[in-house]
Amino acid sequence: MNFVSAIFRTALKLVLIAAAAVFALSLIVVALLSVVWVLLKALLTGRKPAFVTTFQRFNQARQQFKRGDWATRSGRGFVRPASDDVVDVQAHEVQAQKARGALPLDH
C-alpha cells in the first residue's frame, strides 16, 4: 500500500510541476508577444509607446526636483508668483439670483 501511495504522490507532484511550468511559459510568451506588438505598433505609427513617454516625463520631473528648478519653471507646473501679481480682494456673498443673471447661459 505504501508503494502505491508513493508512486501516486510522485506522479501528482510531476503533474503539478508540469502544469506550473506550462503556466509560467504561457505568461512569458504572452508578455513577449505584447512587447513585440507594442514595438511594431510604435514603428508603424511613428509614435513612442505610452510607457516610454510616461517614464521620460517622470525622469524629467525627477531631474527638475533634484536641481531645484520646480519653483522657477515657466510654463506648466508650479510657478512662484511675483509680489506685484498678488491682489487682495474683499470677499462678499453672491446671491443666487444675481449670479444667474451675471453670465449668459449660451457661451
Side-chain angles (χ1 to χ4, degrees), residues 23-66:
F23 180 71
L25 287 175
S26 66
L27 286 178
I28 291 172
V29 168
V30 167
L32 288 174
L33 288 175
S34 298
V35 168
V36 168
W37 170 255
V38 167
L39 291 176
L40 283 176
K41 186 177 173 186
L43 284 173
L44 292 175
T45 61
R47 299 178 68 184
K48 291 182 181 178
F51 67 88
V52 172
T53 56
T54 301
F55 284 120
Q56 284 178 344
R57 288 180 186 162
F58 175 75
N59 284 333
Q60 287 172 354
R62 186 173 53 89
Q63 291 298 324
Q64 287 172 345
F65 281 114
K66 186 185 286 185

Side-chain angles (χ1 to χ4, degrees), residues 84-103:
D84 58 343
D85 289 343
V86 177
V87 177
D88 289 332
V89 295
Q90 182 66 35
H92 63 280
E93 184 177 344
V94 178
Q95 295 176 352
Q97 191 69 11
K98 288 182 183 177
R100 273 190 241 122
L103 295 173

